[in-house]
Amino acid sequence: MSNGTRRRLLQSAAALGASQLFAPFVAVGQTANSANALRVMRWKNFVPEYEAWFNDVFVKDWGRRNDIDVQVTNVGFGDLEKFAAAEIAAGQGHDLTLFLSPKPSLEDHVIDHRTLNEECEFRFGKPYGFVPKSTFNPRTGVHHGFIESFVPTLTVYRKDIWDTLGTSPKTWDDIRQAGRAAKLLHDVPVGISFASEHNAEHSQRALMAAFGAAIQDADGRPALASKNTVEALAFARALFEETMHADVLTWTPPSNNLEMLAGTVGLTIDTMSIIRAAEAQSVAVEPDLALGLLPEGPKGGGGPAYGTNTWVIWKFANNKSAAMKFLLDYMAAFRGGLLESGFQNMPAYPGTVPDLDALIDTSAGKRGRYNVLHDVPNTLTNLGYPGYSNAATDEVLSRNILTKMFASVATGRLMPQEATEKAQAAIIPIFEKWQDAGKI
């Protein structure tokens, strides 16, 4: 947003009142008292301290200061999309909703968040590079969401086990070689999910990125059928056979956390939640847990953020102006949310927490356990990288096409080439559908 554009917006706000800053977006036909109510639906965060801060501190304080009754509905992660779909069908419901990942497939049902994104950038500076690639559609020019924070994707491992093997999990090949030894010598296997669930979706995308494989190219064309994908699958099969137990094929989202806390696996891909839980519960393996960046491979490293907390304001919202003001004020208060989340909700706009580096250093403790957070934003990409996140990549994620591809190879049902071709055949109609709809 240019200074002139923003100045005109603020001049208009002075004339209309601060609560009407985004009045052009307010829907026609609101109820008489809609300006005094705001309805929020969000996935229930896994960190109880953060939930308490958001619901009982920030929301209540904001509501009092703005004379708005804020009603928050906390929904289980697995149920959120079902509730959102019901509201879309009814054409009414909450004013804004928080998802764990961008929802480009919902573009037709949400406002264009351009003004919100530009105002946030004006106030707090640019976001990390993967943020705009997650919520902007270059085909339509629509900003289909607003990302407040991201959940870092990290390697979590037993340092005591890895120290005995004389190495650390910096590369995928390190994990394969040392993981084989840890399984044979210590009966502590690697624990990376091969089930159709959230953890596996992100872990396997990171493995694909290390081999230069991707669902689409930079222009949004299907690109899964490549030698890079075949190589990634061949490596994944060896990794599964040599370093893991077969139960990873049936894991659920909490499984890797539970196994790491019990000390029965020596490495996984996850967030900081495992270490935070270990600290809170004082489990036996807590002193031995360590964090690392995503492992590198022949084509580099990195991968998608474990979560990108993405707000959408619905077209059917009764109070769009209050929803936008709520989000901008929340970003101004984000430092509190960062600390209460235990650094599991990292700022999408680093300028919202100017002393972020100092906070990380202070929290790192004598082990320097959290120093990895300084570098993690540079390793993260959007879902759909190297292209933009789009409706097709969103549907591929929701249908677990990649995790099914990996599992078919790990179990020997398909060879890597066959699995790649089958998965490519499944995603092409998805891309064609959304291309025909004018979304990619």
Side-chain angles (χ1 to χ4, degrees):
M1 179 186 295
S2 69
N3 288 345
T5 301
R6 183 175 186 274
R7 190 160 47 248
R8 287 191 294 275
L9 271 172
L10 296 178
Q11 287 169 348
S12 298
L16 295 174
S19 67
Q20 295 301 309
L21 176 58
F22 296 101
F25 292 99
V26 178
V28 175
Q30 290 183 6
T31 59
N33 65 349
S34 62
N36 294 321
L38 183 67
R39 295 164 299 173
V40 179
M41 181 166 66
R42 55 190 299 278
W43 72 276
K44 184 174 177 60
N45 198 283
F46 302 129
V47 183
E49 294 82 3
Y50 174 81
E51 284 292 279
W53 174 84
F54 184 86
N55 291 335
D56 300 329
V57 179
F58 174 77
V59 167
K60 290 182 178 179
D61 180 61
W62 189 90
R64 284 192 298 268
R65 286 187 291 105
N66 291 277
D67 192 25
I68 292 178
D69 177 25
V70 186
Q71 303 165 21
V72 180
T73 304
N74 295 110
V75 178
F77 170 65
D79 295 324
L80 185 59
E81 293 195 29
K82 176 181 66 177
F83 282 102
E87 294 191 354
I88 290 170
Q92 60 182 347
H94 293 82
D95 295 292
L96 67 163
T97 296
L98 178 70
F99 293 96
L100 187 56
S101 63
K103 291 298 166 191
S105 58
L106 302 181
E107 180 179 319
D108 287 343
H109 306 289
V110 303
I111 69 165
D112 187 340
H113 298 74
R114 177 187 296 273
T115 301
L116 178 59
N117 285 315
E118 290 181 346
E119 179 66 12
C120 192
E121 183 172 328
F122 183 89
R123 296 186 186 189
F124 306 112
K126 289 187 176 297
Y128 292 113
F130 63 87
V131 171
K133 293 200 71 171
S134 297
T135 56
F136 177 65
N137 186 337
R139 172 76 183 273
T140 63
V142 171
H143 294 249
H144 47 74
F146 172 77
I147 294 179
E148 54 141 277
S149 61
F150 68 93
V151 184
T153 312
L154 299 160
T155 303
V156 186
Y157 64 101
R158 289 268 305 273
K159 193 174 184 298
D160 57 329
I161 298 293
W162 284 78
D163 283 351
T164 66
L165 302 172
T167 187
S168 62
K170 293 182 179 179
T171 71
W172 283 101
D173 198 55
D174 290 334
I175 295 174
R176 180 181 174 184
Q177 300 301 328
R180 181 194 302 123
K183 181 181 177 184
L184 292 172
L185 299 176
H186 302 283
D187 193 27
V188 180
V190 168
I192 296 176
S193 178
F194 272 70
S196 290
E197 51 93 16
H198 187 80
N199 294 308
E201 289 287 349
H202 288 74
S203 301
Q204 291 164 9
R205 279 172 167 77
L207 177 56
M208 287 175 60
F211 281 82
I215 295 172
Q216 63 177 4
D217 63 19
D219 296 319
R221 295 183 296 248
L224 189 62
S226 69
K227 65 179 182 61
N228 305 79
T229 304
V230 173
E231 291 170 357
L233 288 171
F235 180 89
R237 181 171 181 174
L239 187 69
F240 169 77
E241 291 178 340
E242 297 170 11
T243 73
M244 302 186 205
H245 289 165
D247 60 352
V248 298
L249 292 163
T250 57
W251 273 10
T252 60
S255 295
N256 64 339
N257 293 59
L258 296 173
E259 297 286 349
M260 285 293 299
L261 293 173
T264 52
V265 299
L267 178 144
T268 194
I269 305 293
D270 202 85
T271 69
M272 291 175 60
S273 62
I274 293 172
I275 280 184
R276 287 304 196 190
E279 292 170 341
Q281 300 170 23
S282 299
V283 299
V285 297
E286 184 272 327
D288 300 317
L289 295 178
L291 297 171
L293 298 176
L294 284 171
E296 296 186 354
K299 300 295 183 180
Y306 189 87
T308 43
N309 287 306
T310 305
W311 291 96
V312 301
I313 301 173
W314 302 105
K315 285 182 177 178
F316 53 73
N318 282 332
N319 205 342
K320 298 180 179 68
S321 59
M324 290 191 180
K325 188 175 190 305
F326 177 86
L327 292 177
L328 287 170
D329 290 347
Y330 170 66
M331 297 305 288
F334 188 81
R335 188 178 188 274
L338 167 75
L339 294 174
E340 293 298 336
S341 75
F343 294 86
Q344 295 188 75
N345 288 1
M346 294 286 286
Y349 292 78
T352 58
V353 188
D355 59 340
L356 178 61
D357 285 339
L359 289 174
I360 292 172
D361 289 339
T362 301
S363 300
K366 62 183 180 181
R367 302 189 193 101
R369 177 174 271 172
Y370 307 118
N371 285 337
V372 67
L373 295 177
H374 289 297
D375 299 319
V376 73
N378 298 323
T379 70
L380 300 180
T381 61
N382 61 296
L383 290 164
Y385 179 86
Y388 284 78
S389 300
N390 57 48
T393 61
D394 188 18
E395 185 170 339
V396 170
L397 174 66
S398 66
R399 290 173 56 180
N400 300 121
I401 291 174
L402 292 188
T403 54
K404 292 173 183 175
M405 175 182 71
F406 272 86
S408 69
V409 172
T411 57
R413 294 196 308 272
L414 294 175
M415 297 299 291
Q417 183 70 42
E418 295 174 294
T420 299
E421 292 171 356
K422 182 178 180 180
Q424 176 82 346
I427 72 170
I428 286 176
I430 297 173
F431 275 80
E432 290 176 343
K433 177 182 72 175
W434 290 107
Q435 287 167 351
D436 292 344
K439 298 305 181 187
I440 55 176

